[in-house]
Amino acid sequence: MIREVRAFPLRAPLSESFGWARGKASVREALLVQLIADDGTEGWGECAGPPEVLRAAVTAFFGPLLLGQDPLATDPLWDRLWQAALPHGRRGVLIGALSGIDMALWDLKGKLLGQPVSALLGGRTRERIPCYTTGLYFREGPESERVPRMLAEAHKAIEGGARALLVQVGRSLAADAALARALRKEFPHTPFAAEAHGSYDVPEAAIICRALAEQGFTALADPLATEPVTAWSRLAAQTTLPLSAGRYEQTRWAFEALLATQAIGTFQVNPAWCGGLSEAQKIRTVASAHGVNVVPRSMGTQLNLAAALHFLASDIRHPGRVELRPPLLETDSLGDPFDALFTERIELEDGLATVPTTPGLGVTINSTLLDKFAL
C-alpha cells in the first residue's frame, strides 16, 4: 500500500537564457513526485508545469486520495484521481500533477514486480532507439550571428549522433525561411523538422509550410494554437507538409478532438503533462484506430526521458511493413542541470538510447542531493 506522497519543486539557473516562439527561460524547473510503499519501495515521477502550484496539487489535493491504496492498481487509481479533478478542470495543472503521480506509480509498480516499465506497458519491441535532438533555440545577440550560431549548434548535434533535428521557428516568416534555406544548404541530407509552438495563424502557417517543404523538411509541429481545432483542417487543405501536434494537450478526449480534424499525421504526447503513461497508452490506442502514430516528447529530467523511452520501446508501428523507419526519441540540446541528481541515467551512445532492463523506469535518484536544487 502507498504510505507516503512527497513532491520536490526544483529550480536551477542556466548559464545562458534560451527562447522559443512564445517565450524565454533563464532557469530550468521541475516537480518530482515520490511515492513510498509500505515496504519502503520508492517510485519516482515528474510533472511538467509550475513547480510550486504542482506541489500543492500533488500533496494537498491528490495525496490523501492515494494513501493506503494499492500501487499496482494503476488504472483504478488514475480514474480515482481523474474523477476528483473533474469538478475543478479537465485540463491544466491538476492533470499535470496526475501525470507525475501516474509516472511514479509505473516506476513503483515495476520495482514491486521486478519488471521494467516497457514490459508492463505491453512488452519491449526494441532494445535500442535512435534519437533526434530538439534545439536551435533563439538566443540573445547580434542578428548577424543568429544563423551561423544555429549552424554551429546543428553541427555539434549531428556529430554527437543525432539522427535528425527539430528546430525552432515562429520568429517571423522571413527569419524562419532563411534559417530553413541555410540549414539545407549546410546539411543536404540531414532530416529536419520544425516546431512553431502555436505561433502562427492559418495564412502564415501555410506560407511557412511551403517554405519548409521546399527545403525538404519532414514535418511542422504545432504551427497553430489548439483552439479552434477547425483551423487545422483549413491549414491541411493548403499544404502537403505533414503536421504534428499535441505536446500541450492532455487526455484522450482532447486528442480525439484533434483526430476529428483529419489534419494531423503524428500526435506528440508528453508523459509528464498529458495524463501520464497510463493516458499516453490510451491516446496511442485511440490514435492507432485512425491511422495516426504517437510519439512522446521527453523534455525535462531523466525521469521523463526514461518514461518516453519505455513508451517507445513498447510501441508497435503502423502499418507494420518490414522496412519501417523506427520511431525516434527526443533528446535535449540544452543539457539538463538536474542530471546531477541521478546516479543511474539513460544510456546514450552514438545517437542511440538503450532501453533499461532494470525494474521500474531504470533511472535512480540520489535523494540526498535534492536540497541542492530545492526551491
Side-chain angles (χ1 to χ4, degrees), residues 328-344:
L328 300 180
L329 175 71
E330 180 183 36
T331 57
D332 183 1
S333 69
L334 297 169
D336 183 14
F338 302 129
D339 278 355
L341 289 171
F342 293 84
T343 55
E344 289 182 275

Side-chain angles (χ1 to χ4, degrees), residues 186-200:
E186 187 79 5
F187 306 97
H189 307 296
T190 298
F192 289 109
E195 179 171 44
H197 296 272
S199 59
Y200 287 126

Side-chain angles (χ1 to χ4, degrees), residues 46-49 54 62 78 82 85 89-103 106 121 245-256 258 267-285 294-299 304 307-308 311:
E46 175 182 356
C47 311
L54 287 162
F62 287 130
W78 194 97
W82 165 252
R90 293 170 175 82
R91 302 182 196 176
V93 170
L94 285 178
I95 307 306
L98 193 162
S99 302
I101 291 170
D102 182 77
M103 190 187 299
W106 281 98
L121 289 175
R247 67 171 297 180
Y248 301 115
E249 286 300 325
Q250 296 174 304
T251 77
R252 75 204 83 155
W253 296 283
F255 281 88
E256 191 172 35
L258 289 174
F267 281 159
Q268 308 166 70
V269 296
N270 182 350
W273 180 252
C274 74
L277 283 170
S278 294
E279 194 63 6
Q281 283 276 78
K282 294 175 177 64
I283 293 166
R284 179 160 62 184
T285 300
V294 175
V295 296
R297 299 302 299 265
S298 61
M299 298 294 280
N304 204 29
F311 183 82

Side-chain angles (χ1 to χ4, degrees), residues 177-224:
L179 175 61
R181 290 192 297 270
L183 285 168
R184 182 52 67 211
K185 181 178 180 180
E186 187 79 5
F187 306 97
H189 307 296
T190 298
F192 289 109
E195 179 171 44
H197 296 272
S199 59
Y200 287 126
D201 59 23
V202 172
E204 291 173 325
I207 293 170
I208 197 59
C209 280
R210 286 194 292 273
L212 296 176
E214 288 171 359
Q215 303 306 321
F217 275 56
T218 60
L220 176 59
D222 295 312
L224 307 173

Side-chain angles (χ1 to χ4, degrees), residues 62-88:
F62 287 130
L65 300 174
L66 290 164
L67 296 178
Q69 299 298 310
D70 180 3
L72 301 182
T74 43
D75 270 2
L77 280 176
W78 194 97
D79 188 68
R80 180 183 178 90
L81 303 186
W82 165 252
Q83 294 295 338
L86 276 180
H88 311 288

